[in-house]
Amino acid sequence: MKKARLPMRWAACPAVLPVTKQEYVSQNARERLFFAEKIADYLDTLSRHADFEKVVNQVLASVGDFYQADRAYLFEPAPEHDGHWNNTFGWCAQGVVPQRDALQRVASQAVSRWMEIFKKEQSVIILNLAPLQQASPHEWAVLERQNIQRLIVAPLRENGTTIGFIGVNNPRTCIHDNTHVRVLASFLLARIRQDRNEHRYQVLLQHSNEDLLQSLQVDF
């Protein structure tokens, strides 16, 4: 009887494996579809709406919700403080205290490690804040004040220069996956270029009209 049970047990295994594999493939397909839908939403929002501020706020809310994060944000260089950074846009989950006002003119020492990582076209992923207390104390102090334990941050890079960065704090899902943040950074950079070119065009058009009026000796 003992010898009869072993073949029966082994014979049952192949019947289980296809079901497990099918479930895995199905889950993977659902995740890929959901990812594609979210990316399509980001692209649609960034390309369809004219108001840049509303666009950024909507997309940050979407990416923050996807990661189930406490906050999602965009940082840009502080105009009058070289090497410093301003939190220009931010989204917070319900019940989370906003930090935007406290994150103006963030000193370069707090993000110097990030800048080196950004130069390599990579994202910053922190899964545990504690080791940074000794390794990068300025960075640790800024993050610790915000009760941050985990984060994902991706750069906006143009012509070899970091012109901004976006990220999420304390993500609860996909904590090792920077894909959404990186894709959003790419789309956002394209939108910034679009708005900049549109502004330049309007300035050029205004100057051209003024030159035309001057040549016709028309007062304006």
Side-chain angles (χ1 to χ4, degrees):
M1 295 295 293
K2 292 183 178 179
K3 291 182 179 180
R5 292 177 182 172
L6 185 58
M8 292 176 62
R9 197 162 53 235
W10 281 102
C13 291
V16 176
L17 289 176
V19 175
T20 303
K21 182 177 181 180
Q22 183 179 3
E23 290 176 348
Y24 172 78
V25 171
S26 178
Q27 180 181 353
N28 186 261
R30 287 196 301 269
E31 290 175 351
R32 287 178 178 273
L33 178 60
F34 181 65
F35 174 78
E37 290 173 346
K38 295 297 291 185
I39 296 305
D41 287 345
Y42 299 156
L43 184 57
D44 179 67
T45 301
L46 285 166
S47 62
R48 184 162 51 88
H49 297 285
D51 191 318
F52 181 74
E53 182 174 346
K54 288 184 179 179
V55 164
V56 176
N57 285 329
Q58 287 179 12
V59 174
L60 287 179
S62 181
V63 77
D65 183 65
F66 171 81
Y67 281 98
Q68 297 182 27
D70 286 349
R71 305 181 190 93
Y73 44 82
L74 168 66
F75 275 77
E76 298 176 273
E80 299 178 358
H81 297 81
D82 188 36
H84 291 61
W85 295 86
N86 288 343
N87 182 183
T88 50
F89 294 89
W91 166 89
C92 292
Q94 186 174 2
V96 175
V97 178
Q99 296 290 326
R100 181 177 169 184
D101 290 344
L103 294 171
Q104 304 300 307
R105 297 185 298 277
V106 175
S108 58
Q109 297 93 325
V111 292
S112 59
R113 189 179 69 89
W114 297 12
M115 294 299 125
E116 294 303 314
I117 295 174
F118 292 160
K119 287 179 182 178
K120 301 174 183 177
E121 305 293 341
Q122 297 176 354
S123 301
V124 174
I125 299 179
I126 297 175
L127 301 177
N128 182 7
L129 185 64
L132 292 176
Q133 186 169 8
Q134 297 296 325
S136 186
H138 292 287
E139 176 184 351
W140 176 86
V142 172
L143 299 180
E144 195 274 337
R145 283 198 298 269
Q146 303 173 67
N147 296 317
I148 295 173
Q149 291 298 320
R150 299 178 306 280
L151 61 74
I152 304 173
V153 183
L156 279 67
R157 298 275 293 172
E158 185 175 48
N159 299 324
T161 301
T162 299
I163 66 168
F165 53 88
I166 63 172
V168 291
N169 291 344
N170 296 330
R172 293 170 178 81
T173 62
C174 303
I175 63 174
H176 297 88
D177 186 357
N178 66 350
T179 307
H180 278 263
V181 179
R182 289 192 68 86
V183 170
L184 178 55
S186 176
F187 287 167
L188 187 56
L189 180 59
R191 176 57 192 262
I192 289 173
R193 287 171 175 164
Q194 175 187 328
D195 284 18
R196 183 196 302 150
N197 291 337
E198 177 66 21
H199 175 72
R200 288 173 177 172
Y201 172 75
Q202 292 298 333
V203 171
L204 180 62
L205 184 63
Q206 181 180 354
H207 287 171
S208 298
N209 289 338
E210 290 175 356
D211 292 341
L212 176 61
L213 292 173
Q214 286 179 347
S215 68
L216 295 174
Q217 297 182 345
V218 176
D219 294 331
F220 57 90

